[in-house]
Amino acid sequence: MNGLGYTVPALASVVAVVGAELAWLRTGLFRRGAYWITVAIVLAFQVPVDGWLTKLSAPVVIYDPAHHLGLRFPLDIPVEDFLFGFSLVTATLLAWTASERQEHTS
């Protein structure tokens, strides 16, 4: 298990999204309660669905063990799935927030 195929890109996606917000976009998204409520709602749906898809007893999605850390929590979900999920949702919200700000300044 080296994690290069899934873990490193998952971590890099989080660094890229957080870095884009802090160094470039500066929308203030991470200071908004609505953002964190959105993250909680996403997790409320992600955990049961992803847990069902990745359960080790009868997986629908199978990950090559050589490409991730092997840490699974909860419900056999590879931890990397949460990193990618955070990055995808956050990048979308950042793009939306930045475009709204651009519309108001134009």
Side-chain angles (χ1 to χ4, degrees), residues 48-100:
V49 172
D50 205 356
W52 177 75
L53 289 171
T54 61
K55 65 183 176 271
L56 293 174
S57 61
V60 175
V61 178
I62 300 171
Y63 294 90
D64 184 341
H67 295 287
H68 66 90
L69 292 177
L71 299 174
R72 292 174 171 263
F73 178 81
L75 306 174
D76 297 331
I77 301 168
V79 295
E80 293 90 347
D81 282 6
F82 294 105
L83 299 174
F84 272 127
F86 169 85
S87 296
L88 290 170
V89 169
T90 302
T92 300
L93 293 172
L94 285 172
W96 187 356
T97 304
S99 70
E100 283 182 334

Side-chain angles (χ1 to χ4, degrees), residues 4-54:
L4 293 177
Y6 197 48
T7 306
V8 170
L11 287 168
S13 71
V14 172
V15 170
V17 169
V18 172
E21 166 60 4
L22 298 178
W24 176 45
L25 296 170
R26 296 183 182 155
T27 65
L29 186 68
F30 297 143
R31 292 189 306 267
R32 296 182 187 176
Y35 167 73
W36 295 106
I37 291 169
T38 300
V39 169
I41 291 168
V42 168
L43 284 173
F45 286 94
Q46 181 181 1
V47 168
V49 172
D50 205 356
W52 177 75
L53 289 171
T54 61

